[in-house]
Amino acid sequence: MPRGQEPLLQRPGSQNSNDRIEEEDALLTGERTNKAQEGHQHVRSRWREIGLFTWALLATVVVIILGVLYQHKQSEQPSNGDDGSVIPKGKRNLIFMVSDGMGPTSLALTREWRQYTEQLPYDDTLILDDHLIGQSRTRSSSSLVTDSAAGATAFSCGSKSYNGAISVLPDHSPCGSVMEAAKRMGYTTGLVVTTRITDATPAVFASHVRRREMEDEIALQMVGATHPLGRMVDLMFGGGRCHFLPNGTDGSCRADDRDVVKEAAGEGWNYISSREEFDNMGTSAKLPLMGLFAGGDVPYEIDRRSQDEIYPSLEETARSALEILSAETKDSEQGFFVMIEGSRIDHAGHANDPAAQVHEVLAYDRTMAAVLDFIKDSSVPTLMVSTSDHETGGLAAARQLHPEYPDYLWFPGVLANASHSAAYTAHEWHEYLRAKHDAGISELGHTETVAAKAFLMSLTRKSLGIEDATDDEMNSLMNKPDIAAYVFADMISSRAQTGWSTHGHSGADVNIYTSDPKAAKALAGNHENTDIGAFLTNYLELDAELQAVTKELQQHMSSLHPEEIEAFLGSIPDLTERLDGQDHLDHYHGDHKRYAACGSCTV
Ligand SMILES: *[C@@H]1O[C@H](CO)[C@@H](O)[C@H](O)[C@H]1NC(C)=O
Ligand SMILES: *[C@@H]1O[C@H](CO)[C@@H](O)[C@H](O)[C@H]1NC(C)=O
Ligand SMILES: [Zn+2]
């Protein structure tokens, strides 16, 4: 109870209290007191006194309550940053969402496809659309077209770096990440993705290497086994289990025999690897917690839908992560910082597969809705900021198919008819060819060719909703099975009249979204991607700690011998090397069945 309240409550007991109250009342009402009046007016004045006293007491109580409310409000009053952002004081949470490879056209395509499939009016928009505040310029230090590693390093360190850099600077030395600084300041931290947890975007928050393809080393750093500062993440949900299993064991893709799951247990990690364990962990989940639900990437949403009993969706893992992080920080001084990534919007862009992409973007939209739900119910001030690292594919919502004057349209119905990704469809085709090969048929004779074409017709109908495959398309699929995924994707794209200008990334500006335009005011308008990193650090008030972490990492590096530096960060890449991590392009990432290129199949 505030100190000022006591004397006021004691007042009625004191001798001359009525007079004082009358005086105070007079001050409040502007009327004069009348002490001289006695005698026959006594009873009346007595009633008057009681009335005044009651009035004054009520007024005082109201003043006190208002005062207390005001004081309470003052102490919660957020501070205005130099940049105009309204940042809460005290405990807070930050949810950073990344839509990897999603450009503005991905939004138009998904919005219109959803309106078509759900028969919604033209002004029925995505959740994302309601939260747009700005745009980010994405170039890296080495190219006008960034990759995800340099793009994410701009978020984690707030610095531009070269394509392929995992939280290292252009001089190849490590830079502290906002997650490392947050962890050291008492925040609980998390990473939730649909790609490999060792892929570039999650990797930059909790590891430092000079080349993004060093995923075996990244896995060890992320669990804390080889990170110079120890374990920096408390929760990881995603794919990429193969980098945590020792070589020679089932499902491993490690080059060495280190058992990272075991080493992680040594660092205190709890580990789950299946949908069943995910469903059963309930609220008893204990941090640190690592959930790796796929050997490689979690399948595209368009394919995952029919394997829901194997893989949880991004919306589910994100919801669960927020619940766990919020329960874990319920009684702690600091909140949490989590990065949630719609990782495979990018892969659908690389594959030039518009059907896979719209499902990925919509899954991201649902995840954002889940995040906003969480924020609405959270008693701790929580901010969501979302952006992309770059655009992928150079997507266009139109396509000129002939030299004649182009049509002003595209056909969302074609995407709506597809039930699987082009990658999944190519995988089915490869399985068919492999079965033939395994049966000793390496050269398809007339009968087998007819049968193979019939299989392809049925496959494209079932998987892509295409009934009218052309001879050219069939011949490409028969003669060049290696590029079948691209052929299938183009069968969809050309029929939908959607255009792509590259199988890689583009230099387009990307969107910035937030749950609170006031808190994220600094990100309104057009920004450099490094401003987003600076904002994350600023929102959590970690500027000094981020510098301290960078200094410590750099000192650690200076204390090492050259060969130890290479073991830690990897060798310095030369400028002609490709470091954009595009080796994954032709692969189907679902691991429910194994894919191996059918190199020896001759058809
Ligand atoms: C497995 O890793 C060890 C080193 O950790 C290496 O000596 C061995 O050759 C590897 N085996 C295979 C099959 O790659
Ligand atoms: C989608 O599939 C239906 C049923 O097979 C078909 O009638 C329709 O023409 C298809 N739409 C497009 C745009 O291909
Ligand atoms: Zn990419």
Side-chain angles (χ1 to χ4, degrees), residues 27 130 191 217 229 300 332 401 428 493 505 553-554:
L27 285 172
D130 290 336
L191 296 168
E217 288 78 8
L229 307 177
Y300 284 126
S332 50
L401 294 171
E428 296 290 295
S493 275
H505 300 173
L553 289 168
Q554 302 243 353

Side-chain angles (χ1 to χ4, degrees), residues 246-248 254-258:
N247 72 1
R254 282 192 75 82
D256 65 20
D257 56 7
R258 288 183 81 157

